[in-house]
Amino acid sequence: MSDEVNHGRVRASYDAVAEEYRERIGGELAYKVMDRALLGAVVEEAAGGAVADLGCGPGHVTGWLAEHGVTAVGVDLSPAMVAVARRDHPGAEFRVGDLLRLPAADGEFAAGVALYSVIHLEAAELRPAFREMRRVLRPSGVLLVAFHLGSEVRRLDEWWGHPVDVDFHFLDPEAVAGLLTEAGFTVTARLERGPYPLEAETRRGYLLARRD
């Protein structure tokens, strides 16, 4: 499947659930203690520089970053998600964009986060996506990537009562770390956790990497 077709499916699916996604997921950082700690580390690493939230959805993580002292820029494939984010988080900037063609200048960001956004990419797209993330980070900039652990692909054709067509790719942390290394990063920290009570019952993986 071409990336244009796959990304079109993802875009339409997230457009369809944007408002409900915001209602259900937009407050998740209130109970995600570990995520807040990792995001705090990213803020410190950015040292006042801009931070990109790549695959920002309704903008709640971008908003959190903006509230913690950095210039935060959210990027999402879904125009409906970006519209919700702009409405709810006026203290941050939001752009419609693709992980393979980010709407950002070379070295624009001091740090970036990609929380459960690379799970919608096909396997062959991961390496170029990480290279693109490296492009928009300054030298020694950090990147936090989060994903579901495993090897399965879950396809949804219905999501909260909305018809969708979207795949969720579970990923192996060693494979992701290898792809980050190939793309020009050094992985500096790895972490795994089980689900919080309000989350889908999957194990989660986090990799913190530094741009070479």
Side-chain angles (χ1 to χ4, degrees), residues 16-56:
V17 300
E19 288 289 355
E20 189 149 9
Y21 191 101
R22 176 259 184 195
E23 288 293 329
R24 292 173 179 262
I25 307 295
E28 65 179 352
L29 286 179
Y31 62 83
K32 289 192 171 184
V33 178
M34 190 174 297
D35 292 55
R36 294 200 310 269
L38 290 168
L39 290 169
V42 170
V43 168
E44 288 198 41
E45 287 278 3
V51 180
D53 181 9
L54 305 173
C56 66

Side-chain angles (χ1 to χ4, degrees), residues 6-22 25 55-58 60 76-84 115-121 148 156 159-160 162-169:
N6 178 49
H7 295 191
R9 292 167 52 238
V10 175
R11 180 186 300 107
S13 297
Y14 275 92
D15 280 348
V17 300
E19 288 289 355
E20 189 149 9
Y21 191 101
R22 176 259 184 195
I25 307 295
C56 66
H60 55 297
D76 202 87
L77 185 64
S78 162
M81 284 289 193
V82 168
V84 169
L115 306 185
Y116 308 100
S117 52
V118 299
I119 62 172
H120 297 303
L121 297 174
H148 303 284
L156 290 187
W159 197 358
W160 299 322
H162 300 275
V164 297
D165 182 11
V166 62
D167 293 335
F168 294 77
H169 297 260

Side-chain angles (χ1 to χ4, degrees), residues 183-194:
F185 288 92
T186 298
V187 175
T188 59
R190 308 180 189 208
L191 186 148
E192 295 182 14
R193 69 166 175 84

